[in-house]
Amino acid sequence: MHLYEYSRLDLESKEIRLVTLLPGAFNDPIRVTISHEPFDVPNVRRIFRVFTADEKASLPPGWSVHENYEGEIIYLYEDPYNNTDCASWTHPVPHVTINKSGVSILSPMATKPIYEAVSYVWGSVELLESIRVENGKSLGESSESLDISKNLACALRHLRYVREPRKLWIDAICINQKDFEERALEVKRMDRIFQYAERVVVWLGPQTEKTQLAFSTLEYLGLQIELTCDGYLTPAPDATESLWYGPKYKIPYDLQTWDSILEIYQNPWFQRMWILQEIHLANQNSIVLCGTYKLSWGHLRRALKSIAMKELGMPVNFHEVHKYRRKLIGYTLGNGLEQNLPTLLSLSRFSKCTEPVDRIYGILGLAPQGIRNKIRPNYYLTPGEVYKDLFLKHVALTKRLELFGFCKQCSDSENTPTWVPKFKETYTEPHGFRSYASGFSPAHAQLLSPRMLEVQGVQLARVSAIGKTIIKSDLDIFDLIRDVGLERLQNDLYVTKEPLIKAYTSLIFERAADSQYGNVQRYKKRMAELTEIVLKNAELPYSWQGKPTKPWYSDSLKNAPPRYFVSVVVNHRYIQAREGYIGFAPSEAQIGDIICVFMGCTAPIVLRPAAVSSYEVVGESYVQGLMSGEALLGPLPEPWIATGTDYWVGMRKPRFFNLDDGTTIDEDPRLGDLPTEWKPNNRQQTADDPMLFSPHKNKITGEEINWDPRFSPEALKARGVKLETFKLI
């Protein structure tokens, strides 16, 4: 039997290949035909409903209106008697309706081709099975053969109908994997292939003895919950278990049930990079298969999203897996709002892919249009070349150095410049996602040679001491407190003139009191509780001495340890600077490294002096007292403190809290008036804009910028800021 030879796709008619799975019994040889069909579809995204002011005004106080993933309109309110969220399919005002036809949802194509797209894990390329390709062959004529993975062959046997053919799009068959140009073309339109499919069919693999219990449990849980496109998780209007959706509600499952769900949770499909766009773009008809068992994707999405948000009630073995996959599962299962590129790269850092370049190409279909249009997939390029190209184009688009958060000192066979991000599987989130180190400044970056990037910024400190332990948990963080000692914590001052205990409390808990801003008494009470935790742990034995087995937390905060901060500094080391600063830096940091804040970069960067007045990038750092614009604007005047930035869909805005009267403002109190020729520009932020976005417009020239003119190099120099240029290699 001859091997199947692919014929080239006709690019003018925008063809795609489709595979028709011919009917047969389960154990029959797998027979298919492969056809070319026109695929001229609009390159548009699903647009989620934006409700008008009049529609919102038609609701009573306390009510809100949303769209779910099936395009249905749902009304939410809080029950004042039970303090619980409630939902309804009908408008609370009699005889008033909000027209469902306004909901924009991509329907399956009304014309040819009609097909289902299969989302699955390839499996080992060493374990192959041959299938028969019978294009134009009469019964009895010789067929051609095509090798596919054992996992795909298993999927096809379960997908095959006994009496009818089934038309599918399957990447391993419908893309000539040996043709790099064709692969690049198909990557660019992968989002449309899954968007316009009649439905997406997810294949999790063969069933086990746990599958039936898991699927029935998840189906029932999914029926109890509604998930809106803007991220709200609520009880379904017709739920029989109206409290099960809540993060703090313990679902009454026994260990056997949790174990069956854990098996689904650990399925390799959830770890695969490409599923982020494949299932995120799937329509409401999509299904999940595991052996012979079937589950609605909509119900599974709701159930696993609810579990991903749970804080209580899970067995220990489940929680260990759960805590590392929460963000991946959370994004895979919604919300429907467009994410910016740094957020997509951070969320996908949990995912696995065979080819390193697919860390970019695998999320391209979800990237915002501006950056997506600038990237041309090219499988002839090395990972370093792809990452460098993405970095430079993102800087040009946003005028920011947001991707510096992904730079790491690591072995690199390509000898890629250290300022090029190293996108790889990691559990560390960039610090810049929640900081404001360079304010609303634009990046001043210039490529001097293929290997040298010049940036502008301020050198602030030099590393003088490094912790011996690489941070893995809050146990390690509290060990460093014991190194400082109780006496110093209670009596010494930090470099910023604040008490040392306050500096360490802020460093460890990283704005854990943010939720209390707006109420001075609540904020001070929370800070006192956090300070007590630090002091209590300073008195306890080191973790390596065998006790304590876990850190001490007060009763009110025992369920809220510094989880977020540990996730940011894991695999980092504690550092001290010659100038008195403390913080966390990448584990590769060394004594003598310098700490800088670059214009357009939201977190301090650790550099290592190299030859001829140049520097290597070690990575991003968290430095207490340098995370809120102090490098460019100086310290905040009393009684102001910087709050955490609002973090929603990668769009953030720092806020400032007055400890005297409890007021919260958006404008940085250190900034003066705008230059007379500039005015704020009331432009809506998009996912292509930088995370810290401050649009302004020149009254004279009409020039529009996405940064604050009070952060221009000229304005900063007038403030006395000593900007320098740094040549990075």
Side-chain angles (χ1 to χ4, degrees):
M1 189 181 297
H2 298 293
L3 292 176
Y4 176 73
E5 293 186 12
Y6 285 92
S7 55
R8 295 187 66 85
L9 293 170
D10 185 342
L11 300 184
E12 289 189 9
S13 64
K14 301 180 180 180
E15 286 182 337
I16 60 170
R17 287 189 194 87
L18 293 175
V19 55
T20 300
L21 181 58
L22 299 177
F26 186 85
N27 290 319
D28 286 350
I30 298 172
R31 301 162 47 247
V32 303
T33 63
I34 298 175
S35 59
H36 291 199
E37 302 198 26
F39 189 68
D40 190 3
V41 297
N43 186 10
V44 297
R45 293 286 184 86
R46 171 176 175 171
I47 301 172
F48 296 102
R49 176 71 178 267
V50 177
F51 295 94
T52 67
D54 287 343
E55 289 171 333
K56 294 177 181 178
S58 71
L59 296 165
W63 286 75
S64 59
V65 59
H66 306 265
E67 172 196 1
N68 71 8
Y69 277 85
E70 287 68 41
E72 298 169 309
I73 294 174
I74 184 170
Y75 304 91
L76 307 181
Y77 66 100
E78 184 176 328
D79 185 336
Y81 300 104
N82 299 318
N83 196 31
T84 57
D85 295 328
C86 301
S88 172
W89 294 123
T90 58
H91 198 290
V93 178
H95 311 300
V96 176
T97 59
I98 294 179
N99 193 348
K100 184 178 176 180
S101 64
V103 177
S104 176
I105 186 167
L106 279 174
S107 302
M109 292 174 58
T111 58
K112 298 285 187 181
I114 301 296
Y115 62 93
E116 299 169 277
V118 181
S119 178
Y120 67 105
V121 175
W122 274 39
S124 172
V125 294
E126 304 296 326
L127 301 174
L128 301 176
E129 181 173 332
S130 292
I131 63 173
R132 297 179 183 178
V133 183
E134 302 193 350
N135 285 9
K137 303 292 183 182
S138 301
L139 186 64
E141 290 190 47
S142 62
S143 305
E144 295 172 298
S145 69
L146 181 66
D147 289 339
I148 62 173
S149 69
K150 287 282 188 181
N151 188 51
L152 178 54
C154 181
L156 292 179
R157 284 194 164 84
H158 284 83
L159 290 169
R160 178 166 53 186
Y161 295 140
V162 175
R163 295 183 177 85
E164 297 178 1
R166 189 171 189 176
K167 189 167 287 190
L168 306 166
W169 188 90
I170 303 169
D171 59 355
I173 299 176
C174 297
I175 300 175
N176 182 358
Q177 299 294 329
K178 296 180 180 179
D179 185 336
F180 282 7
E181 293 180 4
E182 181 178 308
R183 285 174 63 187
L185 168 69
E186 296 299 78
V187 164
K188 283 290 285 186
R189 56 181 183 172
M190 195 79 75
D191 56 338
R192 280 164 281 169
I193 288 172
F194 279 84
Q195 243 180 183
Y196 283 96
E198 186 178 19
R199 65 179 178 182
V200 172
V201 178
V202 175
W203 170 250
L204 297 183
Q207 68 204 51
T208 71
E209 69 275 4
K210 300 176 183 178
T211 304
Q212 182 177 11
L213 175 60
F215 269 39
S216 61
T217 300
L218 293 167
E219 179 83 32
Y220 184 74
L221 178 57
L223 288 167
Q224 312 309 312
I225 296 163
E226 270 303 327
L227 180 62
T228 69
C229 295
D230 51 351
Y232 285 92
L233 197 68
T234 74
D238 45 3
T240 55
E241 311 288 356
S242 60
L243 299 178
W244 283 23
Y245 79 100
K248 297 185 184 298
Y249 186 83
K250 295 182 180 180
I251 305 177
Y253 293 157
D254 58 22
L255 288 177
Q256 182 183 11
T257 303
W258 278 118
D259 192 46
S260 70
I261 296 173
L262 179 61
E263 184 178 76
I264 300 297
Y265 222 78
Q266 293 179 305
N267 189 282
W269 181 82
F270 285 102
Q271 302 174 47
R272 182 172 170 260
M273 173 67 71
W274 288 95
I275 67 118
L276 290 170
Q277 66 177 2
E278 291 173 358
I279 198 61
H280 194 73
L281 298 170
N283 65 25
Q284 67 271 26
N285 301 318
S286 300
I287 59 171
V288 180
L289 299 179
C290 188
T292 59
Y293 292 101
K294 180 171 72 173
L295 177 60
S296 158
W297 165 243
H299 292 149
L300 180 60
R301 181 206 300 264
R302 290 165 167 79
L304 291 186
K305 179 70 172 182
S306 173
I307 292 172
M309 301 304 293
K310 288 294 180 188
E311 297 176 6
L312 303 171
M314 291 177 293
V316 174
N317 65 329
F318 191 95
H319 181 74
E320 288 304 306
V321 176
H322 167 83
K323 67 180 181 180
Y324 290 115
R325 298 211 184 145
R326 182 169 176 171
K327 282 206 168 181
L328 168 63
I329 297 292
Y331 180 68
T332 305
L333 308 173
N335 62 63
L337 300 177
E338 192 173 43
Q339 308 276 357
N340 61 30
L341 181 65
T343 302
L344 282 172
L345 290 166
S346 177
L347 292 168
S348 65
R349 72 188 189 276
F350 296 94
S351 303
K352 299 179 185 296
C353 56
T354 303
E355 300 195 38
V357 295
D358 285 340
R359 293 219 157 267
I360 308 304
Y361 300 156
I363 60 170
L364 200 57
L366 295 175
Q369 185 173 3
I371 190 66
R372 187 170 77 249
N373 289 345
K374 292 178 180 296
I375 302 302
R376 296 186 178 278
N378 185 342
Y379 282 93
Y380 290 107
L381 298 178
T382 66
E385 290 171 328
V386 172
Y387 299 164
K388 177 182 173 182
D389 178 65
L390 176 72
F391 172 81
L392 293 173
K393 286 177 177 175
H394 190 259
V395 172
L397 177 68
T398 64
K399 305 296 187 289
R400 300 294 193 277
L401 299 173
E402 292 175 339
L403 299 187
F404 260 3
F406 298 92
C407 291
K408 297 174 180 67
Q409 282 271 327
C410 57
S411 58
D412 182 355
S413 59
E414 295 183 55
N415 193 27
T416 307
T418 60
W419 51 265
V420 174
K422 309 295 191 299
F423 301 111
K424 62 178 183 177
E425 185 185 353
T426 173
Y427 293 119
T428 305
E429 181 170 274
H431 302 288
F433 276 36
R434 290 182 181 257
S435 59
Y436 173 66
S438 65
F440 289 108
S441 65
H444 283 259
Q446 181 181 3
L447 192 65
L448 301 182
S449 73
R451 294 191 57 83
M452 183 175 286
L453 180 75
E454 184 180 79
V455 297
Q456 202 167 21
V458 182
Q459 178 179 331
L460 297 157
R462 187 176 294 272
V463 177
S464 59
I466 298 180
K468 297 178 181 178
T469 303
I470 297 177
I471 303 297
K472 296 296 182 183
S473 71
D474 47 358
L475 279 172
D476 301 321
I477 291 178
F478 285 122
D479 273 350
L480 71 87
I481 290 296
R482 296 169 191 120
D483 287 338
V484 178
L486 192 61
E487 183 177 349
R488 282 194 60 205
L489 286 170
Q490 292 177 315
N491 298 310
D492 287 6
L493 292 179
Y494 187 52
V495 64
T496 58
K497 307 304 181 186
E498 65 184 328
L500 191 62
I501 179 60
K502 182 178 179 182
Y504 273 99
T505 300
S506 299
L507 175 69
I508 292 172
F509 287 99
E510 205 259 345
R511 294 170 173 164
D514 275 10
S515 62
Q516 308 305 317
Y517 287 129
N519 185 300
V520 174
Q521 296 306 315
R522 283 205 307 263
Y523 170 77
K524 291 182 175 179
K525 180 181 178 182
R526 176 56 58 84
M527 285 302 297
E529 290 177 312
L530 296 173
T531 301
E532 180 189 23
I533 292 172
V534 175
L535 292 174
K536 286 278 191 182
N537 281 283
E539 297 179 290
L540 295 175
Y542 286 91
S543 62
W544 49 263
Q545 292 177 323
K547 294 180 180 180
T549 55
K550 60 182 179 180
W552 180 89
Y553 293 103
S554 60
D555 289 341
S556 61
L557 293 174
K558 64 183 178 182
N559 292 319
R563 291 190 198 125
Y564 167 74
F565 193 52
V566 171
S567 74
V568 171
V569 302
V570 69
N571 295 326
H572 283 53
R573 293 183 192 270
Y574 169 73
I575 59 167
Q576 293 178 352
R578 185 177 60 188
E579 293 75 9
Y581 291 105
I582 57 174
F584 294 98
S587 60
E588 298 82 9
Q590 299 176 3
I591 293 174
D593 289 345
I594 65 173
I595 300 171
C596 303
V597 167
F598 298 141
M599 293 186 66
C601 187
T602 54
I605 300 296
V606 178
L607 300 182
R608 182 162 301 148
V612 197
S613 301
S614 61
Y615 299 88
E616 294 180 353
V617 176
V618 178
E620 206 179 45
S621 64
Y622 184 99
V623 181
Q624 182 61 30
L626 294 179
M627 304 303 289
S628 299
E630 295 90 346
L632 302 182
L633 301 178
L636 278 161
E638 293 186 357
W640 294 99
I641 60 174
T643 77
T645 53
D646 295 330
Y647 184 45
W648 179 247
V649 201
M651 301 176 183
R652 305 178 293 118
K653 193 170 188 178
R655 311 194 75 195
F656 302 88
F657 181 53
N658 188 307
L659 284 175
D660 284 348
D661 59 20
T663 57
T664 303
I665 61 174
D666 294 333
E667 180 83 351
D668 192 321
R670 294 167 292 188
L671 291 172
D673 295 332
L674 273 172
T676 55
E677 68 272 24
W678 290 95
K679 66 177 181 179
N681 186 4
N682 190 27
R683 179 171 76 79
Q684 184 69 36
Q685 185 175 11
T686 72
D688 271 316
D689 287 314
M691 291 185 287
L692 285 171
F693 176 65
S694 184
H696 287 78
K697 186 172 184 178
N698 191 294
K699 299 176 186 177
I700 301 170
T701 65
E703 179 190 4
E704 296 186 12
I705 58 177
N706 63 14
W707 46 276
D708 192 316
R710 290 168 288 189
F711 283 95
S712 70
E714 296 75 22
L716 292 174
K717 289 176 182 177
R719 296 179 69 102
V721 179
K722 297 180 180 179
L723 292 174
E724 305 175 55
T725 57
F726 298 84
K727 293 179 174 63
L728 309 180
I729 59 174

